[in-house]
Amino acid sequence: MQRIMKKSKIHSASITGLELYYEGSVTIDLDILKKADILPNEQIQVVNINNGKRFISYAIAGESGSGIIELNGPAARLASIGDKVIIISYANFDDK
């Protein structure tokens, strides 16, 4: 049997930008993606600590060292700049 388990987590990241008129995704500093073992285009879940909203999107790489955590497209309506979020990726694992 396979189970869906948490693979990676970025905890207490601050939203640095909101870009409503952009194809949906979440831009994340490439250095942060690498440290969290999240690949560009990987599915992620974003949990907003400030308002409790959750949504699924995908990661796109932002400039290394920029610290960017930007919600793009409709997701930009689910947070405010400065909100703290948790970003989670999942993977399928065998019971073994």
Side-chain angles (χ1 to χ4, degrees):
M1 176 189 340
Q2 288 202 330
R3 298 178 188 267
I4 300 171
M5 306 288 290
K6 176 187 63 122
K7 179 185 74 69
S8 304
K9 180 167 78 168
I10 301 168
H11 197 275
S12 293
S14 293
I15 298 296
T16 61
L18 304 167
E19 187 63 48
L20 181 60
Y21 298 103
Y22 185 86
E23 186 177 331
S25 61
V26 180
T27 303
I28 302 171
D29 178 322
L30 182 59
D31 293 339
I32 295 171
L33 286 177
K34 287 179 180 177
K35 287 178 186 174
D37 188 29
I38 297 173
L39 296 175
N41 298 308
E42 185 171 340
Q43 179 177 299
I44 55 174
Q45 179 181 38
V46 179
V47 181
N48 187 321
I49 296 169
N50 293 76
N51 64 25
K53 293 181 180 176
R54 297 171 172 255
F55 62 92
I56 294 177
S57 189
Y58 63 95
I60 60 173
E63 183 179 340
S64 292
S66 66
I68 191 169
I69 306 287
E70 181 175 82
L71 303 185
N72 302 308
R77 296 195 184 273
L78 301 176
S80 297
I81 292 177
D83 279 4
K84 296 288 187 185
V85 294
I86 302 168
I87 300 168
I88 309 162
S89 70
Y90 301 89
N92 293 325
F93 292 92
D94 287 321
D95 278 342
K96 298 174 189 176

